[in-house]
Structures are given as C-alpha cells and as structure tokens.
Amino acid sequence: MAGLKDFQRATVAHVIDRYFGTDRTRRFLVADETGLGKSVVARGVIAQTLQRLQDDDSVDRVDVIYVCSNQDVARQNIARLRVTPDETVTLSSRLTLLAKHAHQLNAATATAGKPINLVAFTPGTSFDQGWRTGTAEERALLFLILEQAGSWNGWRTRAAQRALQATVGKPERFKWHCDRLREQLGGKLDRTITREFLRRARQRGLLGEFDALLDGIGRRPALPDALRENARTLTGALRTTLATAGVEVLEPDLIILDEFQRFRELLDPQGGEGAELARHLFDYRAARVLLLSATPYKPFTFAEETTAGEDHYRDFRQVLRFLSDDESWHADVTKAFEAYREALVRGEPCGDLRVWLRDLLLRVMCRTERPALVQDGMLREHLTVADNLDARDVRSYVAMRKIAHVVGAPMTVEYWKSAPYFLNFLDGYQLGDKVRAALDGQPHPEVSALLASAQLLDADAINRRAPVDLGNGRLRQLAADTVDQGWWRLLWLPPSMPYHALGEPFATAARDGITKRLLFSSWNATPTAVAGLLSYEAERRLGRVGERHRHLDYRMEHGRPAAMSVLALFWPHPALAALCDPLALARQRPDETAPLDVAEREVRERLCARTSADTAATVASPAEPWELLFRWPGADPGLDDAAAALGTSAEDDGTATGLDRHVERARELASDARYPAAEHLDGLLGSVAEIGLHGPGNIAWRALSRLIDPDDAVTPAGHWRAAAVLANGLRSLFNRPESAQLLDSLSMGPVYWQAVLRYCAAGGLQAVLDEHVHTLRSGAADARLDDEELCRLADEARQAIASRPSTYEAFDPSHPNERIKLPGRFALRYGGRGEEQSQVNRKETVRRAFNSPFWPFIVATTSAGQEGIDFHQWCSAVVHWNTPANPVDFEQREGRVHRFGGHAVRRNIAAAHRAQALRSPSRTCGRPCTTRHERFLGSWATSRRTGCSPGRRRSSGTSCPTCSAATRRNSTGSSRTW
C-alpha cells in the first residue's frame, strides 16, 4: 500500500468495506478514468484481501485470478500485482494447462502468513474454447490423461496421437511434444483435475466418441481426411472439458477482470460455453470479483445503432445485473434514474436525486476522474490536413474500385485513405484473397491490366534502396513531421534534463520537443504499411551499408588483442566513473547548462590533480589511452566471470575468444595499478576523460548506481556485472551496420571508437540512461534491490536496446509467389492476429523497445494496443490515423500515454525545476531528501489526481509550484489528433 496515492487508498478502502463490511457485496466495479492506475488499486485490494483472510480458518491459501484481454497485458501487469514477492507463486497459464502447474499451487508455502497464488488467464486462450484445437502442449496433456485412463495397446496409442496431432506437421513431432511433457511432469498428473476431467468427459459421452474415432483411424499412418473435422470438433470439446476441470483445482478468493469490456460476453448468462466456464470461477464459494474498466459500457448509441444490437442503456443494465442480483436494489436504481431524468428534462433542481442515485451505485461501483482543469491543460490537439494528394493516388483509387468490382470483393474509400499501397498490404481482406485467386495460374487479363494502372510498390527500387513515393497523403505528412526532421540521425531521444549542452543532431531535436509517436488505425493493413514504409525511408537515408560492417569486435592480430580501445569503451571502471560523473559537474552549476567542452576540461583537470597528488611509484609512459585507463586504480572488478558479463565467453572449440584475451590483457595492466609519470600524461588524459565521461561502460555503472540506496543488498560485484550487461547492450547498438554508417555520415571522427564517444556526448547518453533506468525501477519499486534484481533491470534495458528488427512483407502482384520485404526498426507494428506464442513474444519485444529512448520512434497499431498497455515512458503524442466512431476510443487511445510519470510530465518538471533538482541532495548520500523541491515532486501526483488546481494551498501551508507549472507548460503535451 506504500506506493498508492491518497485517492487510490480511498478507492481500496471503499472496495474492501464493500467486500468485508456489514452490508457486503461479492462483486465490485472500479471505473477510474484511463491512466489513473486501476492496476495499482487492484494491487491494494489484493494486499488488503490477503490481510483480511489471514484469520479466516476456512482459507488455507489465497488464490488471486487475474483475467485480461491478451497475454502481453498479463505479462506487463502480473508483476505489479505481487504483494508478497517471497511467498507468491505467479503463473501466466491456460485453464487447460493447470494440470501441469497445479503442483506449484498445492506446494505453495509461506514463511509468515498464508501463501498467495497469482494466476493470469486470457479469454482467448482459457475461456473461448469452441472447436479450436489449441496448442500442441494442450493436446499433449489431453493425450497423457486419456492414455492413462485408456490402457491402450500400441496401435491405439498411435491412433490417438494421429487424432490429436492437428496442426503439428509430422506424427514424430507430436510424439516428441508428448514425451517432453511426460518428462516435465515426471509421469505425475494432478489427480483432482484428471479425475474431474474424466468424470465430465464420460458424462458428456466424449470418451466413447474418442474411442470410436480411434477405431475409425485404426492402423492408418495418418488421420483420414474424412475424419479431420470430427477430430477437430472432438478436440475442442475435450479442451473445454479439461478447462472446466481445471477450475476445480483453483480456490479463487479474488478474481480481477481487467478491461473486461473486451470480453464482456463472459458476464452474459447466455454467453455460451466460455461464459459458463467463467461462471464456475465467479460463483466459487465466497470468491470476490473486482472489475476494472474506464469504459465498462458504451456511453452513447444512436437510435439506428440498436438495430445492430448496440444499446448503451442495455449495456449498462447488463453490467449492473452482473454486479448484483438484488431485485429490490435494481428496482430502486430504475426509479432513481427515471426520477433524475424527469427532473433534468423539466429543469428542476436534482441535487437530492443525484445524491440518492450516487449512493445506490456506490454499493457496486466507483469512479475517479481527473479534474477538468488538469485534463484541459495537459492535452493539446493538432489538426493536420493531409491534402497533398498526388494524381497517381487518385488514379490508384479508381483502379482499386474497378478491381474490386471485377473480382466481386468489397472496397471502401477508407481502404485507400488509410493504407498506402493498399493493394500490396491486403493480407486478411476479401479483396486480397480474390485478387490472389485472379492472379493464380492463368491470370485474369482485366485484373492484370487494372493493376498496371494502380499504385504499387516497386520491388526493384526497394532492393536498390532507391527513393519510393510514400503513396498516401497521411503518410507523407507523418514522414514530414518525423523522418524529414532528421529523426533518423538519432539513435535515442534527447534526455528530459541534460547535464550539459547537447550537440547535433540532438540539440535541434531537443529544441523541437521531440517525443515518440503512437499511431492508431481502424484498419489492419495500416500498421504494417506505415511501419514498413517509414522504416524503409529512415534506413534508406542512412545509405547502403555492408552486411559485415562491424567496428566494435574484439579482434585478434597475430595472436594478440587488437581492440583494447573497444574494451575500454564498455569496461565499467567504478573509480573513474565516479571521478568523471557529469551529474556531479552539473550540480556545481545548477542555474546553467554548461557547454560540453567546459565539462570535459574540468574532468581533465580532476584527473591531472589526482595523478599529481598520488605519491605511489610511477611506471613507464603508456603508448595508448587504454593503457592508462586500465592502470588507473580500481579497474579490476575481481570477478572470475568478467568476460561472461561483457559478452560471449567461449567459442565452440573451447579455446579462449578474443574477448577473453582482451580481458586477460586488461587485468595484466590493472595488476600494476600505478599512475605514469606526470610528464608522460600529455595527450592521454583527454582521451581518458572522454571515456570516463562518455564511455558506455562508465555510463552504465553510474546509471545503475543512482538506483542503489544504502539499505539495498547490492554488492560491488553485482553492481559491476549489471553494468557490464547494460554496456554490452550499448555495444550491440553501436555494432549495427546502420549505426556505423550514421556516425560516418555525421563526421564524428575517423576512428570509430572515438566517434562513438563523441556521439554519446552529443546525445547526453548519461542523462538519457539515468532517466530510462529510473522509469524501469519505478515500475518495480517494491522489489528489494539486490544483485539479482539490479541485473534483471539492466538486462531489461539491454533487451530493449538490442532487440531484433522486424521484417514486413508486402504482396507483389507482378510476382504473386514472391514477397517484397521492408525493414522494421525505426517504426514498428504492435500486435497482429491471434494469440500465438510467437505473436505474444513479439508484442512484448515491441512494447519494451518503444518504452525505451531507443528505436522504434513510431509504433503503429490497431485496437490491439488500445487498452491496458503502457506506452507513456517516452511518448506523449497520439496519432489518430482514423477518427474512431466511438468517443470512448479517444479516451482509451490517449490513455496509453496520458499517464502518471510520462514523457511530457518528466519534461515539464525538468523544465520548471532543473535548478532545484540539481541542488537537492543526491540519492546515494544516505540522507533522506527534505528539500522543498523533492517534497513537491513527491506530492505533485497526488495534488494532480485529487483536484488540486494551480496554486492550491496544501496542508503544509505552502503553494505547489509544480502543479501550476505542469498545467501551464503545455508545449510538451500530447498531440491528440493529426
């Protein structure tokens, strides 16, 4: 509860009172406005529920079920809901696979109090069963259970594998899945689930049907085509039965439905098998249900929309019906609404009626909204008219209409307006299927002729990296605001609060207020087209680079390390890092942003003073800066796995790699940690100062050190490992061919490792990384910081920096069997069709990368990214590619970036309070920060959420300048509409 704001604590207190008070309810809706932290409220409810159930003898353990719309939302939020990290069993699974994980739940033990299990499900994988065959692992589990109950002979075993093989290509492959699962389970299946599954399957006649299917397959080597549909349908029924049996092993005490409007059919008594399965959870003993949604029902529908089955009042009543089955209460709510409406229509005072209605609804729901003043002050709307049409655009639209007519497929003007080169990106559309069919075999002559007049991607031009028209007025405008502004020259965004003056190309971008763009479209073709074409345009401007163009490898020459300067860049040097801290230099001049050369000169003077003051014996003059760096006292971390932390430690043949030999040489120098004679330092201290200030290894060390409090259990060795992991991610960034090409084009220096230093200096990488790891730590601030947690944070940052690019494919009507490939790094697509594991993993990768200061700078998505996902860390601009039909979509879309601690908020605070922040005590000093600035930074969010208008007097008797500054400085607010 420590991290909750006042309004969130009040919400938790009200929910808990409704759950455990005198007039109890088992179901409650928290409908706080988007971005106000409903998941944080849910965390508080979990904590308080756990505390209340400690003395309940009927509860042996506390099971919390978290249901959200997709697996990426589950991965993002599941860690936030953990309230007892040491005693929590956390699973993100499927109901059908609980038999695999049930032993973890049953074995949960706690050192103090009752154990807690946190289990996450998604409707698409757990409740929406139908005829779907599911994953190979689910079918393998079905096979093991049926095999155990069936006592099959050899041919029936093989027939069962054929029946459950489904989409797995070869029988041997599915057998491998079964054998692997058998090995994982140790031959033991959960008895409760197995027994309940067999009972239900026998009761429904499914076991008899499966035996009949095996008889039909017989000894055939493959499943006959005539039996495929029967096998598919039966597999779906068995999965549903297994999921139902899985509920029996759960003992839910609290069920959280996050953004439930995405799967509201689970609340409908007539919602089919999925709803029936969900009711087994909802109705379990005394289980309490917490619904979370800013938009729990459609707020308004036109009369004509009711014919399509949409009715806002019916939606609202359905939610109320789920929340309570008290008929007298429903009657009172109906009367209150009718009386309130009549008073409004007649213009009569309705204050008492409003209080009556409010009190009735507070029994089952509550909502917190931002004050209107803050809402209006922090959003700015930009309307950009995409009127730069080309004659080819119009001709292409005419050709598309004619093609659609010829092949008999639907075609609307929105296709053409939304997706550039729509005929190349028509996967999943009827028009695409029918155009492919028309070109298959003997091409349709009329379709071929019309395609010749349509606007299509030129595959040859793309292969040559030649300029390509963007094909759409909207995309041309977006490119003009991003790529044309030189964003492709930036490998990361400028910091919100630089420690020194930035250099180009970052200085101009910072003055322009650059922030990432989150683009929403109503059409599935748009995100792929936008991401592919914008990434192509950005990378094209870098110029063509060689595929093996790598400058930062640990190469060997004549058996000797030949890239020690590279190792010096990425080697965390604690003593040198502390001596060359740009934040410490900025604190000396809090009222000004010093030029970079001033900071570098002061560091050189520090280094010179340190060597002059040292009385130890001197050594001969080093020939290279790296020799001086590794001889500088404190260079050797004393770790056996130093090379492993910095990268790969051994080759396949078991011999030492180039990195191992470089580390060995560095340690040889560090073992003689003496300064050279002062007369030999000329020309070396400048390079050492640059490495100390701007070297990625030292930057990583300092960034992570900002997170460590004196009470944390982080050891020097753990700190070094984490810094090395993060530095290795930065090495992968600069080792990309396009990064090398960029630095060459910017003339950062003839020697690449020195060019890297100059680019890091120009971009204020230290301030950027400090800001980034702070946002990562803020998302898991309750976890105790030890070596493992620090390394996890460093690796999370590394993964974002080193994430692999996407490749987007476009249909080529000229060569239907070939695909046009477009890059995806500068801009990416979030989400696609389905919840396959590969798709879920890619969603997480894109989200992590977008929530970092590094590429991608633009993410395009559909409704897949509209609800429940955080995109605010480095983005404060939403692009509405299509105006949504429902105003609720505006709130949901903008809520992805209009959130506490977002990019705009940080920049506003930095702009208003930079000097106070630099004057405040450092976090690592070990003293609690009591300056006026820090108190206001800590209280600003509370005042913002609870209605503090600018300048409002707080309980301390002082005026909050941050609140007024944040509402006044609107230049960095969200760009609402484009």
Side-chain angles (χ1 to χ4, degrees):
M1 297 289 291
L4 272 66
K5 305 295 183 290
D6 291 346
F7 80 95
Q8 294 168 335
R9 287 173 174 267
T11 300
V12 172
H14 181 67
V15 174
I16 293 299
D17 179 66
R18 297 301 301 132
Y19 281 162
F20 297 97
T22 54
D23 181 22
R24 300 184 180 185
T25 183
R26 288 180 52 197
R27 298 175 180 180
F28 197 88
L29 166 63
V30 173
D32 289 1
E33 188 177 357
T34 301
L36 295 190
K38 288 184 289 297
S39 60
V40 178
V41 170
R43 174 187 174 86
V45 172
I46 293 173
Q48 293 295 303
T49 299
L50 180 61
Q51 183 173 342
R52 293 295 184 110
L53 294 179
Q54 289 300 318
D55 298 326
D56 189 339
D57 294 335
S58 66
V59 178
D60 297 325
R61 70 181 197 224
V62 178
D63 285 359
V64 178
I65 312 301
Y66 175 71
V67 184
C68 60
S69 58
N70 63 68
Q71 293 184 56
D72 191 39
V73 175
R75 288 184 176 184
Q76 174 187 268
N77 292 339
I78 198 77
R80 300 176 182 176
L81 300 178
R82 290 168 62 98
V83 295
T84 56
D86 294 335
E87 294 95 27
T88 302
V89 173
T90 304
L91 295 176
S92 182
S93 182
R94 299 169 178 242
L95 271 172
T96 47
L97 291 176
L98 274 182
K100 175 183 176 182
H101 302 293
H103 67 283
Q104 297 182 45
L105 303 178
N106 295 328
T109 58
T111 56
K114 294 177 180 177
I116 179 171
N117 297 307
L118 184 57
V119 186
F121 295 125
T122 62
T125 58
S126 289
F127 298 102
D128 187 6
Q129 302 296 317
W131 60 268
R132 298 178 182 176
T133 56
T135 65
E137 188 176 30
E138 289 176 282
R139 297 193 303 278
L141 184 58
L142 283 173
F143 172 81
L144 295 182
I145 296 175
L146 292 170
E147 180 187 42
Q148 179 176 294
S151 300
W152 296 325
N153 55 23
W155 72 264
R156 292 188 77 84
T157 298
R158 289 189 294 274
Q161 292 174 349
R162 305 295 184 272
L164 296 170
Q165 178 180 332
T167 56
V168 177
K170 295 181 179 180
E172 296 78 10
R173 183 65 179 171
F174 182 66
K175 182 179 182 299
W176 176 85
H177 281 287
C178 296
D179 293 341
R180 185 182 66 164
L181 183 58
R182 194 195 316 273
E183 181 180 350
Q184 291 175 349
L185 295 174
K188 297 180 181 179
L189 294 167
D190 183 78
R191 293 182 179 180
T192 302
I193 294 179
T194 301
R195 183 170 57 250
E196 184 64 18
F197 166 76
L198 293 174
R199 185 186 71 81
R200 289 176 177 272
R202 189 175 294 108
Q203 190 178 53
R204 295 178 60 185
L206 298 179
L207 296 184
E209 290 183 37
F210 194 75
D211 283 337
L213 178 62
L214 299 189
D215 291 335
I217 298 173
R219 301 177 184 272
R220 293 184 176 91
L223 179 68
D225 292 340
L227 296 177
R228 287 189 183 279
E229 185 59 32
N230 182 24
R232 203 160 28 228
T233 303
L234 185 54
T235 301
L238 290 170
R239 285 183 65 234
T240 300
T241 305
L242 183 58
T244 307
V247 174
E248 296 299 318
V249 79
L250 294 173
E251 301 171 4
D253 298 286
L254 178 64
I255 302 162
I256 301 172
L257 306 181
D258 196 358
E259 302 290 358
F260 72 92
Q261 75 280 359
R262 296 294 298 273
F263 46 90
R264 60 184 308 123
E265 67 278 359
L266 298 185
L267 279 57
D268 185 358
Q270 310 300 321
E273 284 187 335
E276 181 181 355
L277 191 57
R279 282 199 301 277
H280 284 286
L281 281 176
F282 303 153
D283 296 337
Y284 182 85
R285 297 182 186 175
R288 295 157 180 88
V289 182
L290 178 65
L291 282 72
L292 306 176
S293 176
T295 54
Y297 50 86
K298 194 170 184 178
F300 181 75
T301 50
F302 292 101
E304 56 268 23
E305 290 182 289
T306 59
T307 59
E310 296 187 3
D311 183 345
H312 61 276
Y313 186 64
R314 186 186 64 193
D315 286 352
F316 173 69
R317 298 298 304 198
Q318 181 181 342
V319 172
L320 292 185
R321 182 64 59 182
F322 177 80
L323 292 171
S324 175
D325 57 3
D326 186 342
E327 294 298 336
S328 63
W329 177 81
H330 280 282
D332 288 343
V333 170
T334 301
K335 291 177 184 177
F337 266 114
E338 290 175 350
Y340 186 54
R341 181 184 184 280
E342 289 297 323
L344 287 174
V345 171
R346 293 174 181 173
E348 300 173 352
C350 52
D352 292 341
L353 291 172
R354 184 166 59 247
V355 172
W356 179 32
L357 184 56
R358 176 181 180 274
D359 289 343
L360 284 171
L361 295 179
L362 273 173
R363 293 181 58 185
V364 295
M365 67 174 67
C366 65
R367 177 174 172 89
T368 303
E369 295 184 344
R370 293 183 182 89
L373 180 65
V374 175
Q375 178 75 19
D376 296 340
M378 292 194 71
L379 274 178
R380 232 176 43 170
E381 185 173 285
H382 301 265
L383 297 175
T384 303
V385 180
D387 56 358
N388 54 343
L389 284 177
D390 189 287
R392 291 173 297 175
D393 300 347
V394 179
R395 284 197 296 269
S396 184
Y397 169 68
V398 174
M400 287 170 60
R401 290 294 299 237
K402 291 181 177 179
I403 291 172
H405 176 73
V406 170
V407 300
M411 161 66 193
T412 73
V413 70
E414 288 297 327
Y415 289 179
W416 169 75
K417 288 167 59 179
S418 297
Y421 295 101
F422 180 78
L423 290 173
N424 292 107
F425 297 97
L426 35 63
D427 288 349
Y429 291 83
Q430 289 186 40
L431 179 58
D433 296 338
K434 294 190 176 183
V435 167
R436 285 191 181 86
L439 296 176
D440 190 29
Q442 187 66 31
H444 192 294
E446 190 173 357
V447 171
S448 299
L450 289 170
L451 284 171
S453 63
Q455 197 171 28
L456 298 172
L457 286 174
D458 186 341
D460 292 335
I462 289 173
N463 290 334
R464 300 193 313 271
R465 287 289 183 102
V468 172
D469 182 77
L470 295 178
N472 177 283
R474 292 175 180 174
L475 188 56
R476 294 187 190 105
Q477 186 61 52
L478 181 61
D481 293 334
T482 56
V483 179
D484 293 349
Q485 299 302 314
W487 287 22
W488 57 274
R489 296 185 179 94
L490 310 176
L491 295 180
W492 56 79
L493 294 185
S496 297
M497 192 179 79
Y499 302 147
H500 53 72
L502 302 178
E504 294 299 344
F506 293 92
T508 299
R511 285 194 299 270
D512 292 343
I514 182 176
T515 187
K516 292 190 177 187
R517 297 283 194 270
L518 179 61
L519 185 151
F520 285 99
S521 173
S522 303
W523 302 97
N524 190 59
T526 302
T528 303
V530 169
L533 290 170
L534 273 184
S535 292
Y536 172 80
E537 182 61 20
E539 295 189 19
R540 184 189 66 80
R541 299 192 184 201
L542 290 170
R544 184 175 289 276
V545 295
E547 294 182 359
R548 303 295 296 174
H549 191 75
R550 300 172 69 86
H551 285 283
L552 299 176
D553 290 329
Y554 296 112
R555 54 191 174 80
M556 303 287 292
E557 290 182 2
H558 309 296
R560 298 171 61 86
M564 292 299 295
S565 297
V566 173
L567 183 64
L569 280 187
F570 302 102
W571 184 274
H573 195 313
L576 192 63
L579 196 62
C580 304
D581 189 352
L583 175 56
L585 297 175
R587 286 180 180 277
Q588 296 175 5
R589 296 183 178 87
D591 295 311
E592 62 178 288
T593 304
L596 178 59
D597 60 344
V598 173
E600 292 176 342
R601 183 175 65 248
E602 290 189 5
V603 168
R604 284 197 300 272
E605 292 172 355
R606 284 187 181 187
L607 298 182
C608 188
R610 178 60 59 87
T611 56
S612 300
D614 193 281
T615 58
T618 59
V619 296
S621 171
E624 298 288 346
W626 53 264
E627 293 186 56
L628 174 58
L629 182 139
F630 288 116
R631 280 176 172 159
W632 201 277
D636 192 344
L639 297 177
D640 295 332
D641 59 349
L646 284 163
T648 306
S649 60
E651 294 179 341
D652 293 338
D653 61 2
T655 60
T657 64
L659 175 57
D660 290 324
R661 295 293 299 277
H662 281 73
V663 170
E664 181 183 338
R665 175 59 178 149
R667 286 183 145 166
E668 289 174 2
L669 294 169
S671 64
D672 188 14
R674 293 177 294 166
Y675 300 117
E679 62 268 19
H680 298 309
L681 293 177
D682 291 342
L684 296 181
L685 282 183
S687 295
V688 173
E690 288 188 16
I691 295 174
L693 270 170
H694 315 304
N698 293 316
I699 288 175
W701 172 274
R702 288 188 292 257
L704 295 173
S705 71
R706 321 274 197 225
L707 305 178
I708 304 172
D709 282 331
D711 295 334
D712 287 329
V714 178
T715 66
H719 188 174
W720 198 94
R721 286 191 190 92
V725 167
L726 182 52
N728 195 39
L730 293 168
R731 175 176 168 267
S732 70
L733 171 68
F734 286 109
N735 236 5
R736 293 173 187 163
E738 56 267 27
S739 298
Q741 181 67 20
L742 171 62
L743 268 61
D744 288 347
S745 68
L746 294 175
S747 301
M748 286 288 177
V751 181
Y752 189 55
W753 69 267
Q754 293 175 335
V756 169
L757 286 175
R758 301 318 304 162
Y759 192 83
C760 292
L765 182 59
Q766 181 69 71
V768 172
L769 215 57
D770 286 356
E771 187 175 348
H772 181 44
V773 298
H774 164 75
T775 61
L776 294 179
R777 176 62 176 156
S778 299
D782 294 325
R784 184 169 180 260
L785 200 60
D786 53 17
D787 288 355
E788 183 179 355
E789 177 63 15
L790 188 68
C791 196
R792 186 198 66 79
L793 286 169
D795 191 58
E796 185 175 350
R798 180 199 63 79
Q799 290 180 56
I801 299 169
S803 59
R804 292 180 298 177
S806 293
T807 299
Y808 298 111
E809 294 186 345
F811 172 61
D812 187 357
S814 302
H815 302 87
N817 295 325
E818 299 179 7
R819 306 287 284 183
I820 301 173
K821 294 187 176 181
L822 296 168
R825 195 190 288 275
F826 177 82
L828 291 177
R829 172 183 183 132
Y830 176 85
R833 291 184 173 85
E835 278 287 279
E836 295 82 4
Q837 195 60 44
S838 60
Q839 182 64 245
V840 173
N841 292 341
R842 188 56 189 168
K843 278 184 178 180
E844 183 181 24
T845 299
V846 172
R847 171 171 54 82
R848 183 190 295 119
F850 190 69
N851 284 334
S852 79
F854 305 93
W855 286 17
F857 286 172
I858 298 167
V859 156
T861 185
T862 58
S863 59
Q866 189 166 302
E867 296 170 352
I869 299 295
D870 292 347
F871 285 123
H872 63 292
Q873 281 89 336
W874 292 90
C875 174
S876 61
V878 173
V879 181
H880 294 289
W881 200 253
N882 308 91
T883 303
N886 191 333
V888 171
D889 289 339
F890 278 111
E891 179 180 353
Q892 288 289 359
R893 291 176 174 186
E894 292 161 12
R896 300 308 99 223
V897 304
H898 190 15
R899 306 178 77 83
F900 173 72
H903 195 209
V905 174
R906 296 200 307 273
R907 287 187 297 164
N908 287 340
I909 291 177
H913 301 288
R914 182 180 190 275
Q916 296 103 307
L918 292 175
R919 287 193 181 98
S920 66
S922 65
R923 177 168 185 166
T924 56
C925 68
R927 301 189 304 273
C929 192
T930 56
T931 64
R932 178 173 180 268
H933 159 72
E934 292 292 343
R935 288 201 304 273
F936 279 129
L937 290 193
S939 64
W940 174 78
T942 301
S943 66
R944 171 174 176 251
R945 303 301 190 205
T946 54
C948 172
S949 55
R952 177 177 175 178
R953 307 292 288 186
R954 297 189 58 77
S955 59
S956 61
T958 57
S959 176
C960 176
T962 313
C963 184
S964 57
T967 56
R968 184 174 63 251
R969 297 184 61 85
N970 298 321
S971 61
T972 55
S974 301
S975 299
R976 179 175 180 181
T977 305
W978 292 76

